[in-house]
Amino acid sequence: MILAESGKGTDGSITDGSNDLMTPMARSPAPLPHIHTAPVDTPMPRVFRHRLEYIAARAVLGLLGWLPLRLARLICEGLAVASYWLWPRLRRVGLFNLWLAYPQWSSRQRRRVLFGNFRGLGRMLADFASFPRWNRGNIERLIVYDGFEHYTEAMRKGRGVLFLTAHFGNWELSSFAHGLYGHPLNFVVREMDNPLLDLMVNRYRCLSGGRAVYKHDSARETMRALHRGEAVGILMDQNMLPGEGVFVDFFRRPACTTTGPARIARKTGAAIVLGLVIWDAHLSRYRLRFDPVKWIKREDPEEEIVANTANFTGLIEEYVRRYPDQWLWVHRRWKTRPAAEPPLYPV
C-alpha cells in the first residue's frame, strides 16, 4: 500500500512474477466513474492540471501493469536510477540522513545504500501497477508470510489489532497482499492534492478488499474499526510538526513522532503487531513479516504514551539497521527539532 503518504510529506520530499502472470491490458481496472473534482471557484488551470496528471498516471500504470512484471521492474528501476542522478535535492537529503544515522560509514557505503533504496522504489512502482493481476491463487509468487502466527494471536484477543508499519520495503504491498490472503485491512492514508489521482491510487490499494481511512478522520474511524474487531494499518515513521508528536530517539537522535497509535492502543486495549514488507533477494520475492509488540506500562499516562511510542520507533529502527537500503531515506525524518536545538538540515 502507498499506505499513508502518496505524494509529498510535510517537508516536501516524496514519501513514495513471471511472464505467465500477466494478462492483456484489456483486463486492467474498469474506467473510473466521472467525478466533479472542483467547485465553481476553483481556477481552471488547476482543474486542467489535475486532469492531465490523472491521464498521465493512468496511462503509466496501465502500461506498466500490461507489461511482464520483470520488464516493468527493469524499466522502473532504470527510471529510479536516473532519478538518483537527476534529482539532486532528494539525493542530498538521503545522503545527509545516512550521515546522521551512520556517521562511521564511508561516503561510498552511504551512496551504495541510497542507490539501492532508489532501485527499491522503482521496483515498488512496477509492483503497484501490477496489483490488478494478483489473486489468492498466485499471490504467493510475489509475497509470502513470515511470522503470521503473531498476527493471528493478536486477532484472537478480540479487541482489534493495530498494524504498525513504516515506509520500508514495499509498504504499499502489505495491506494489498494481506487482503488477498483473506485478511482485509483498514489503513490510514493522507488525501492527495489531486482528487482524481487520489481516487485512482486508492482503487488500486483497495482491490483486495481493504479500506482507506483518510488521515483527517483517522482517530474516529480507527476506534470504530477496532471496536468491530478489525485491524488498522498505520505508518508511524514520518516527521511530525511541532506540537503534533513527541521526541523519541531514532538512530540516537530525537525525532518528532506521532503518539496516535499509542494513545489509541491505551484507550482501546487493542493488540499491537509490527508488520513490514521486506524484499528478500534470496527468494526473489517479498516477505510480510509480523512481530508482536508488548505494551509498556507506566504509572503516569503521558509517560506511558511516550515510552510506548519510543518502543514502537525502536522496533522500526531495528529493521532499518538490518536492511538499511529498504527504508525511505529521502524523507527529512529529523526536520522538527526540540525548542533549544538549531535546524539539522542545510537550507
Side-chain angles (χ1 to χ4, degrees):
M1 44 185 176
I2 303 174
L3 222 183
E5 307 286 80
S6 175
K8 296 185 178 181
T10 59
D11 59 349
S13 60
I14 63 169
T15 46
D16 48 24
S18 60
N19 295 357
D20 62 339
L21 299 182
M22 302 299 105
T23 57
M25 186 180 293
R27 293 184 57 189
S28 59
L32 297 175
H34 177 71
I35 303 172
H36 297 287
T37 61
V40 293
D41 60 344
T42 300
M44 281 306 296
R46 182 183 303 173
V47 177
F48 184 66
R49 185 181 74 249
H50 285 173
R51 292 192 180 278
L52 283 181
E53 290 171 348
Y54 165 74
I55 292 169
R58 185 171 172 81
V60 169
L61 286 180
L63 176 61
L64 291 173
W66 172 72
L67 292 172
L69 185 56
R70 290 181 182 178
L71 178 57
R73 282 178 174 174
L74 184 64
I75 292 171
C76 289
E77 287 183 23
L79 292 173
V81 167
S83 297
Y84 176 87
W85 297 109
L86 299 176
W87 209 334
R89 186 182 65 81
L90 283 185
R91 187 174 70 249
R92 286 195 297 267
V93 170
L95 291 173
F96 186 77
N97 280 339
L98 282 162
W99 178 79
L100 292 175
Y102 297 100
Q104 74 279 14
W105 279 7
S106 67
S107 296
R108 183 178 181 181
Q109 284 177 293
R110 291 192 284 268
R111 286 195 301 268
R112 184 171 65 247
V113 166
L114 187 61
F115 191 81
N117 189 209
F118 270 72
R119 287 189 62 193
L121 292 173
R123 185 190 312 117
M124 178 176 161
L125 173 59
D127 295 337
F128 184 76
S130 77
F131 277 10
R133 317 300 179 181
W134 302 100
N135 54 57
R136 182 60 185 90
N138 62 18
I139 189 61
E140 290 183 12
R141 302 183 190 182
L142 181 66
I143 183 170
V144 294
Y145 278 135
D146 181 8
F148 180 65
E149 66 275 10
H150 301 306
Y151 178 82
T152 56
E153 177 62 26
M155 287 297 292
R156 275 198 292 267
K157 295 179 180 179
R159 293 189 174 184
V161 173
L162 277 177
F163 181 130
L164 302 182
T165 189
H167 292 88
F168 184 95
N170 189 336
W171 63 89
E172 286 291 349
L173 186 54
S174 58
S175 66
F176 175 76
H178 204 41
L180 285 185
Y181 275 112
H183 308 279
L185 185 71
N186 302 275
F187 49 91
V188 179
V189 301
R190 184 180 70 87
E191 189 171 7
M192 299 175 70
D193 296 331
N194 184 329
L196 291 172
L197 286 181
D198 186 70
L199 179 60
M200 181 182 69
V201 169
N202 281 331
R203 275 195 79 241
Y204 272 75
R205 289 168 170 163
C206 298
L207 284 171
S208 64
R211 185 171 74 96
V213 175
Y214 285 118
K215 192 174 181 179
H216 62 77
D217 200 29
S218 62
R220 180 177 59 183
E221 290 300 317
T222 296
M223 298 282 283
R224 287 177 176 174
L226 294 174
H227 284 310
R228 294 192 298 265
E230 298 171 0
V232 182
I234 302 177
L235 286 158
M236 61 162 300
D237 63 332
Q238 287 194 306
N239 178 68
M240 301 300 291
L241 296 173
E244 294 184 353
V246 296
F247 286 96
V248 298
D249 280 354
F250 185 58
F251 282 88
R252 301 178 302 278
R253 295 181 184 273
C256 195
T257 306
T258 178
T259 59
R263 294 186 187 280
I264 291 171
R266 188 177 186 275
K267 187 170 184 178
T268 63
I272 311 168
V273 295
L274 178 68
L276 297 173
V277 173
I278 303 166
W279 172 252
D280 192 317
H282 297 292
L283 295 177
S284 294
R285 52 185 169 174
Y286 297 96
R287 289 185 287 117
L288 176 49
R289 172 69 195 179
F290 288 108
D291 286 305
V293 179
K294 293 183 178 180
W295 184 256
I296 300 172
K297 293 187 178 180
R298 294 284 188 270
E299 289 187 7
D300 181 80
E302 283 304 310
E303 288 183 5
E304 191 168 304
I305 294 300
V306 174
N308 283 280
T309 300
N311 182 44
F312 301 161
T313 302
L315 294 173
I316 292 171
E317 180 181 330
E318 288 179 14
Y319 273 94
V320 177
R321 289 186 178 277
R322 203 177 306 176
Y323 306 96
D325 62 339
Q326 298 201 37
W327 189 64
L328 190 69
W329 291 103
V330 295
H331 170 67
R332 298 189 187 194
R333 182 62 180 93
W334 295 275
K335 181 180 180 182
T336 300
R337 307 312 306 143
E341 287 193 16
L344 274 178
Y345 293 92
V347 177

